Amino acid sequence: MLARFSDHTRQELSILSKIALPLIAAFLSEYLMFVTTKIVVGQLGYLELAAVGISGDLTFEVLVILIGLLSIVGVLCAQAEGSGDKKQAGLAVRQGFIISTAVGMPAMALIWNMDIVLALTNQDPRVVELARPFLHFITPSVLAVLYFSVLRSFVAALSRPKAVMYITVAAVPANYLLALLLVNGGWGIPALGLAGAGLAMTIVSWTMFALLLLHVYITDDLRGYGVFASRWKIDLAICREITVLGIPVAGLLIFEASLFTVVSILAGIINAETLAAYQITVAWFGIPFVVAIGIAEATMVRVAQGIGQGNWQRARDSGMFGMACGVLLLGSMIVFPVGLTDTIISIFISNDDTGSKTVSALATNFLMIAALFQVFDGLQAIAARALRGLKDSLVPLWIAGFGYWIMGIGGGVLLAFPANMQGIGLMWGLAMGLFTTGVLLAIRFHRLTANRIIRQLRQAELKNTG
């Protein structure tokens, strides 16, 4: 029996790794595009770092919310693959493009005017002024990012995400070099400052989408799913399913995004140095988070494939195994913020910069707290997507609302201001919110799948006795 268990574990690890590792590389590369942009502009000064940091974070969170809504396309594709219905997968992708366009246009208007939001939240006027050109030039990337996410969900659902990995890994140095050129000028191109950083990301984003689209088009077996069917029309049933299931997912991500966004805004209200230190910390704990997202997306695919086959035991095993792998891997990554604190800080800010000592001292404390909560940040991401593979999205929304807003933001505000802990209080609020949400979502998955399996066993017993 132990041998069978060991064989099953090795098989699940092999399958999960096949999906997760390319996705981890892909998500990490996409995130590193933002990080390398911060590195480039951080050399201009801590105000420039704060401006691109907060405006880039807000843009990234808007995109994450919309990608969450569109992630239902991946669930539908995975379940269609599990049931052997290729045409249904292709139909889901086409509807995903239609919905991407519908939600992407207002998102572009929001990001273009995000400087107004920054001004209304009492950010440093110098930060707001510096952020404006970056926001204007990154706005055209929105549709490219959403279209790319639909195709990424499609190929991941088929357990073939390697092309996504190759494209996104290549995009990191391309974005870095292009940002260096456009921000600082050279080769006959004038220095565009922060506008150049936004323009670089837009160019790279559209190139990424074009390359993945070409890959899907020229790969014969992928074309067999009917993504490029001649008749492109709205399928109300599929669009309704994506929307009905996707809105609670987007709501959960709004709660999650708002946790980090509000902390960023509150850090800026305290002072620009606290905001800059928080941006350095975000740059680190975003790395274990996107690693967790790769495991989470793979777990979601495995859970959804199990449901597509009508096998709840397999779905449960895949979900629990994915969460266990995530906790172990992110736990091992704690050594980086603890052991390489000075190195991480030095990447983003120069010792010669005004205010660097204050920023460095704050960032050191922030990184120690981030090391403690990064495991639960990953757990909540994996558990939420495992539940998404079950098409369970409403209850996780309420769990996230309680964890992120009541425990995270509420607790952080109390610690930061009435308790006068300032930025340290905000970080402990993050820790409380992520711990609460991660544990509750994992319990939800455990109970939901266990109850469903018990029900199936009872139905089978009744059928046999009848």
Side-chain angles (χ1 to χ4, degrees):
M1 185 173 180
L2 183 61
R4 286 199 303 270
F5 175 79
S6 180
D7 289 342
H8 175 75
T9 301
R10 284 196 294 268
Q11 182 182 18
E12 185 64 33
L13 179 60
S14 176
I15 298 172
L16 184 70
S17 300
K18 179 182 177 182
I19 306 172
L21 290 178
L23 286 177
I24 289 172
F27 288 127
L28 187 59
S29 297
E30 289 179 2
Y31 178 72
L32 287 176
M33 287 175 61
F34 279 90
V35 174
T36 52
T37 298
K38 290 180 182 180
I39 291 173
V40 171
V41 301
Q43 302 308 308
L44 301 178
Y46 77 90
L47 287 172
E48 285 81 358
L49 173 61
V52 168
I54 191 169
S55 56
D57 285 351
L58 290 172
T59 299
F60 184 71
E61 299 299 354
V62 170
L63 292 173
V64 165
I65 291 165
L66 298 181
I67 290 170
L69 186 151
L70 294 167
S71 69
I72 301 300
V73 172
V75 175
L76 298 180
C77 289
Q79 292 192 356
E81 178 73 359
S83 62
D85 191 351
K86 289 187 174 184
K87 297 299 181 183
Q88 193 68 14
L91 178 61
V93 173
R94 295 199 300 277
Q95 302 313 301
F97 281 129
I98 293 171
I99 295 175
S100 295
T101 305
V103 299
M105 299 305 290
M108 291 174 68
L110 173 63
I111 292 170
W112 179 276
N113 295 289
M114 194 71 76
D115 60 307
I116 299 174
V117 176
L118 295 177
L120 291 174
T121 56
N122 201 30
Q123 299 299 304
D124 189 317
R126 296 171 296 174
V127 171
V128 176
E129 186 65 27
L130 287 167
R132 188 174 294 116
F134 174 77
L135 289 165
H136 290 176
F137 278 86
I138 201 174
T139 296
S141 70
V142 170
L143 287 179
V145 172
L146 297 182
Y147 293 155
F148 183 85
S149 74
V150 170
L151 287 180
R152 179 180 61 205
S153 295
F154 168 62
V155 296
L158 307 183
S159 303
R160 286 185 286 183
K162 284 187 178 180
V164 175
M165 177 184 69
Y166 296 142
I167 291 169
T168 50
V169 168
V172 176
N175 180 76
Y176 176 71
L177 293 174
L178 190 58
L180 274 177
L181 176 63
L182 296 178
V183 169
N184 300 310
W187 298 84
I189 298 174
L192 299 178
L194 301 195
L199 179 59
M201 295 193 72
T202 293
I203 293 171
V204 172
S205 296
W206 278 104
T207 302
M208 289 169 61
F209 166 63
L211 291 173
L212 186 56
L213 184 69
L214 179 64
H215 168 72
V216 174
Y217 182 79
I218 64 176
T219 304
D220 291 338
D221 54 344
L222 292 179
R223 289 189 66 184
Y225 286 81
V227 173
F228 301 96
S230 58
R231 295 180 62 189
W232 278 64
K233 62 180 182 179
I234 297 176
D235 187 302
L236 292 178
I238 298 296
C239 286
R240 187 182 302 111
E241 185 171 16
I242 293 173
T243 304
V244 169
L245 293 174
I247 286 177
V249 172
L252 186 153
L253 290 168
I254 287 173
F255 284 138
E256 180 182 357
S258 65
L259 174 64
F260 295 100
T261 300
V262 170
V263 170
S264 184
I265 290 171
L266 291 173
I269 290 174
I270 293 171
N271 53 52
E273 290 84 356
T274 300
L275 176 57
Y278 177 70
Q279 291 303 322
I280 293 171
T281 309
V282 168
W284 159 253
F285 71 70
I287 293 175
F289 176 73
V290 295
V291 169
I293 290 293
I295 299 173
E297 292 288 326
T299 301
M300 183 185 74
V301 168
R302 292 292 292 152
V303 170
Q305 288 175 347
I307 297 301
Q309 295 174 353
N311 189 337
W312 275 83
Q313 185 62 58
R314 172 186 158 182
R316 173 182 168 80
D317 291 345
S318 295
M320 299 300 290
F321 187 77
M323 284 186 274
C325 287
V327 167
L328 290 173
L329 180 57
L330 268 64
S332 69
M333 294 178 68
I334 291 175
V335 298
F336 294 105
V338 172
L340 299 174
T341 305
D342 293 339
T343 302
I344 293 171
I345 294 171
S346 67
I347 292 173
F348 295 94
I349 190 167
S350 169
N351 289 330
D352 299 329
D353 189 16
T354 304
S356 63
K357 290 184 178 179
T358 301
V359 173
S360 296
L362 287 168
T364 298
N365 291 325
F366 291 178
L367 283 166
M368 293 302 102
I369 300 172
L372 298 176
F373 68 63
Q374 68 185 39
V375 174
F376 297 98
D377 192 18
L379 176 62
Q380 61 85 21
I382 299 169
R385 281 159 181 79
L387 288 165
R388 200 176 304 169
L390 303 177
K391 293 186 177 179
D392 178 50
S393 55
L394 188 57
V395 173
L397 171 64
W398 298 114
I399 291 174
F402 172 74
Y404 296 143
W405 275 89
I406 304 300
M407 299 299 293
I409 294 175
V413 168
L414 289 175
L415 292 173
F417 299 105
N420 200 32
M421 293 176 67
Q422 301 290 298
I424 297 292
L426 294 177
M427 293 300 294
W428 280 118
L430 274 178
M432 290 189 297
L434 294 169
F435 173 83
T436 301
T437 307
V439 171
L440 291 179
L441 288 174
I443 292 173
R444 168 71 178 172
F445 182 85
H446 165 69
R447 291 182 174 176
L448 193 64
T449 53
N451 290 339
R452 188 57 185 262
I453 291 169
I454 291 171
R455 194 182 313 157
Q456 281 189 333
L457 291 173
R458 287 174 179 171
Q459 289 173 349
E461 289 176 0
L462 289 173
K463 184 177 179 181
N464 292 333
T465 56

